[in-house]
Amino acid sequence: MKTILTQPSAGPVINALRALGYNARTAIADIVDNSIDAKASEIDMNFDYNDGNGYIEIKDNGSGMNIEEIQIAMSIGSKDPRHKRKNKELGRFGMGLKTAAFSLGKRLSVLSKQGNYIVERCWDLDHVSDTNNWELYTNIPEEVKVLMSDINNPSGTIVFIDKLDRFMRAGESPILPESFNKKIERIYKHTSFVFHNILSGEISMRINGNAVEPWDPFLTTHDFTNPLRPRVLKDTSGLINVSTYILPHASYLNQTEYRNAGGIKGWNDHQGFYIYRENRLLHFGNWLDLFPKDQASQLARVRIDITNKSDEIWQVDIKKSTVNPPDFIKNQLKAIAKEAREISKQVFYFRTQSNSGDTTIRSNVNTWQQENVENGTAFKLNRSHPLLQKIMKNTSDENLKDLKMFLKLVELGSPANIVIVPKVEEELMQPITDSDKELISQLAGMYTQLVDSDDSNELINIILMTPSMERFNRFTIKTVLEERNYVKST
Ligand SMILES: Nc1ncnc2c1ncn2[C@@H]1O[C@H](COP(=O)(O)OP(=O)(O)OP(=O)(O)O)[C@@H](O)[C@H]1O
Ligand SMILES: [Mg+2]
């Protein structure tokens, strides 16, 4: 077959690469990945507003690069993603440094040191657009150099990004210093989350001089966190470890612990799978489309650990922020998630803390209990609540009957118990159980005492409006009331 060589046009390609969908947090994390791969033990991130012409500097004391390495590093697609990577290496696509930097600003300068040698390169997208050529500067412009810090360690690298049109709208109307600072705050939280395992080890990071403290989403050190039995799954690339944590019920956390555990997005959006690749968090905050998020599952957080060998079958993306595991793994994860969500529900509603010492007192003070009924579960008021017990003990028999009836109505009216059922055609007797007949009869007894009216239609209307009675049509209610002599048959 005949072919014709068709070179991509530099300007449009490089501008398209800017729109891969990074946000500032994922972009910074991608650049930090490189410092970790270079075996740095210290990583300093500095963000300077600089009067609206701000810059970002990420400096490490890693292995640095020589002249060949920096030239390759600055190439778009510097390594083939299909090639095997070293054990534990975070890089995959040979793109991150460039794509992440360009999502923040238009100029990327890299300075690297190995012993006595210092090497440098600089991409300026204004120049690439002007010339429509892949022209890389071999030197960093003087105006940038004066802003860059020195590398005082024997080796290390500085990644410097300015012309921050994307990060802070530099060049047009820059964002205000307060918004700039808010962004840095969000980057701090994201960094302490994404790298929390790495930060608990030998590596330290600072953002504008502040040490980044690890944030553990699983509250592993809390006494009342419940780690379930770990599982090991297997795909064609190797083993996948899955550890499920059920976080403590809010009543077991103090205010600071509760706020902290809510993380950057709040409790509800922190439920679900947490996918780590080589100990670095890739993705979190949902059930991978296997289940929707719901309030009662918010205590379940499931950690999944993959290695860089799984990249292809898990479809890890360039931004290192999404994955798509193969279907057979998804099926196994679904079963694990189902169990985790079920236990979360138990703890969420009833504070049953399987590893706590005082469950009896705790569960006794719950106002609600869950009970299995024919078509699922229903919520019942806890009749053994100490306060209710006391009230019932001190109530006369006559009033006790009313109180019990009222509790019944509260249960029937609980939003959690209301089941929407289609209306059944009028004038047909519906199937009805004896206990429902008894309930209708009790309601009729109560309403005839409360409402001063002989009108049987009004009595039927009130019963129809009572929660849970919407299941029945007028004819059925009327027939039951006639059977029990509350209304005369017509
Ligand atoms: N801070 C650094 N110290 C030493 N080498 C670096 C540093 N940053 C980048 N490099 C070199 O530049 C190369 C290209 O980095 P880049 O982030 O573009 O791709 P990658 O890390 O190989 O893969 P990915 O696109 O998945 O991040 C790296 O493989 C590494 O060799
Ligand atoms: Mg990288």
Side-chain angles (χ1 to χ4, degrees):
M1 284 269 264
K2 247 173 93 174
T3 57
I4 176 164
L5 187 63
T6 311
Q7 297 280 13
S9 200
V13 168
I14 218 142
N15 276 300
L17 285 177
R18 308 195 70 191
L20 277 180
Y22 282 97
N23 57 44
R25 302 178 295 281
T26 50
I28 297 294
D30 215 347
I31 296 170
V32 169
D33 280 353
N34 290 338
S35 299
I36 296 169
D37 278 347
K39 303 276 176 278
S41 62
E42 288 188 15
I43 302 165
D44 270 286
M45 292 158 250
N46 285 305
F47 299 78
D48 198 315
Y49 186 75
N50 194 31
D51 246 353
N53 264 321
Y55 56 86
I56 301 170
E57 183 181 77
I58 296 157
K59 174 167 142 172
D60 68 52
N61 65 347
S63 56
M65 289 174 268
N66 61 28
I67 192 76
E68 286 88 31
E69 286 165 338
I70 197 172
Q71 180 59 33
I72 294 171
M74 290 296 259
S75 320
I76 315 286
S78 48
K79 289 181 186 171
D80 189 330
R82 290 166 301 185
H83 289 172
K84 194 165 175 278
R85 288 286 185 145
K86 286 202 245 43
N87 242 357
K88 306 220 173 293
E89 195 171 349
L90 297 171
R92 163 59 58 197
F93 297 96
M95 298 288 277
L97 172 63
K98 289 75 60 177
T99 48
F102 296 152
S103 75
L104 300 164
K106 287 194 284 185
R107 185 157 55 184
L108 161 67
S109 311
V110 178
L111 185 77
S112 200
K113 178 178 168 187
Q114 276 185 341
N116 294 327
Y117 296 97
I118 293 188
V119 292
E120 60 189 73
R121 289 288 185 267
C122 171
W123 276 117
D124 187 335
L125 298 193
D126 284 333
H127 183 72
V128 175
S129 289
D130 289 348
T131 58
N132 203 18
N133 255 329
W134 304 99
E135 287 181 13
L136 174 70
Y137 286 118
T138 51
N139 287 95
I140 296 171
E142 235 3 84
E143 67 195 71
V144 174
K145 271 226 170 119
V146 293
L147 299 172
M148 285 174 99
S149 52
D150 298 321
I151 304 178
N152 298 319
N153 291 298
S155 67
T157 299
I158 294 179
V159 171
F160 189 99
I161 308 150
D162 70 335
K163 296 193 177 180
L164 298 177
D165 59 336
R166 294 276 170 98
F167 183 75
M168 63 180 294
R169 297 182 197 284
E172 19 175 325
S173 51
I175 58 171
L176 297 172
E178 299 86 78
S179 318
F180 188 82
N181 291 336
K182 274 256 160 328
K183 282 186 152 216
I184 301 170
E185 236 171 75
R186 284 200 291 271
I187 290 169
Y188 178 98
K189 286 189 177 155
H190 188 255
T191 310
S192 67
F193 179 19
V194 165
F195 297 107
H196 74 95
N197 281 126
I198 288 163
L199 286 164
S200 308
E202 304 286 288
I203 298 179
S204 60
M205 299 182 195
R206 276 180 297 269
I207 292 184
N208 282 4
N210 300 314
V212 182
E213 299 296 338
W215 180 73
D216 167 18
F218 309 110
L219 267 67
T220 44
T221 55
H222 198 284
D223 282 350
F224 293 120
T225 296
N226 184 6
L228 306 186
R229 187 167 57 87
R231 312 285 175 90
V232 181
L233 313 180
K234 206 167 178 231
D235 67 18
T236 46
S237 63
L239 302 179
I240 291 134
N241 291 305
V242 184
S243 322
T244 302
Y245 298 89
I246 309 297
L247 268 59
H249 186 276
S251 60
Y252 288 80
L253 300 171
N254 65 35
Q255 231 181 10
T256 318
E257 286 172 332
Y258 181 78
R259 199 170 352 100
N260 253 336
I264 41 182
K265 293 192 149 188
W267 277 82
N268 203 45
D269 287 324
H270 269 281
Q271 66 183 277
F273 294 117
Y274 287 65
I275 297 153
Y276 288 75
R277 172 175 171 271
E278 305 295 358
N279 254 346
R280 185 272 213 214
L281 180 73
L282 282 191
H283 182 83
F284 79 100
N286 58 33
W287 297 101
L288 290 174
D289 292 338
L290 297 171
F291 296 101
K293 284 188 267 195
D294 61 52
Q295 218 194 354
S297 302
Q298 63 174 259
L299 306 178
R301 299 182 182 179
V302 181
R303 176 178 177 134
I304 303 170
D305 274 288
I306 62 171
T307 67
N308 62 17
K309 295 186 195 70
S310 295
D311 287 351
E312 201 178 335
I313 51 174
W314 281 61
Q315 297 176 358
V316 172
D317 74 326
I318 293 194
K319 305 188 296 292
K320 314 282 166 26
S321 61
T322 63
V323 288
N324 183 21
D327 281 348
F328 74 96
I329 292 282
K330 270 192 186 162
N331 285 340
Q332 296 175 49
L333 291 176
K334 192 170 180 179
I336 293 172
K338 192 163 178 270
E339 184 193 13
R341 287 162 55 88
E342 207 45 60
I343 298 174
S344 169
K345 270 193 188 92
Q346 291 292 326
V347 178
F348 184 79
Y349 286 126
F350 309 117
R351 303 162 203 216
T352 46
Q353 214 67 18
S354 56
N355 54 353
S356 74
D358 57 353
T359 47
T360 43
I361 308 167
R362 289 267 182 176
S363 58
N364 243 1
V365 296
N366 280 327
T367 44
W368 291 92
Q369 289 174 326
Q370 201 174 16
E371 230 173 59
N372 288 327
V373 292
E374 208 182 313
N375 40 8
T377 52
F379 289 86
K380 295 209 145 211
L381 283 165
N382 175 16
R383 301 286 200 286
S384 31
H385 190 287
L387 186 59
L388 185 56
Q389 286 280 314
K390 187 175 161 213
I391 295 170
M392 286 173 137
K393 225 170 89 194
N394 296 325
T395 306
S396 69
D397 282 356
E398 186 54 30
N399 287 340
L400 192 60
K401 233 177 87 195
D402 288 347
L403 177 63
K404 283 185 175 166
M405 192 66 208
F406 180 70
L407 296 180
K408 180 102 201 153
L409 289 174
V410 172
E411 280 170 358
L412 292 173
S414 152
N417 288 338
I418 291 174
V419 187
I420 309 292
V421 281
K423 273 269 174 239
V424 178
E425 215 181 308
E426 295 279 332
E427 303 309 327
L428 274 179
M429 181 67 185
Q430 297 168 258
I432 181 164
T433 61
D434 284 346
S435 66
D436 276 332
K437 281 186 179 175
E438 185 53 35
L439 182 61
I440 292 172
S441 161
Q442 283 175 13
L443 289 170
M446 180 189 67
Y447 288 139
T448 39
Q449 276 180 30
L450 293 176
V451 185
D452 189 18
S453 162
D454 293 336
D455 186 345
S456 60
N457 268 332
E458 193 170 337
L459 179 62
I460 297 169
N461 283 345
I462 298 174
I463 293 176
L464 275 170
M465 277 154 57
T466 307
S468 93
M469 287 296 117
E470 62 275 8
R471 292 173 290 153
F472 301 114
N473 63 28
R474 173 174 290 274
F475 185 77
T476 307
I477 303 268
K478 187 165 170 274
T479 311
V480 175
L481 293 181
E482 283 171 359
E483 267 176 35
R484 307 270 171 135
N485 294 322
Y486 281 102
V487 299
K488 288 198 185 78
S489 43
T490 47

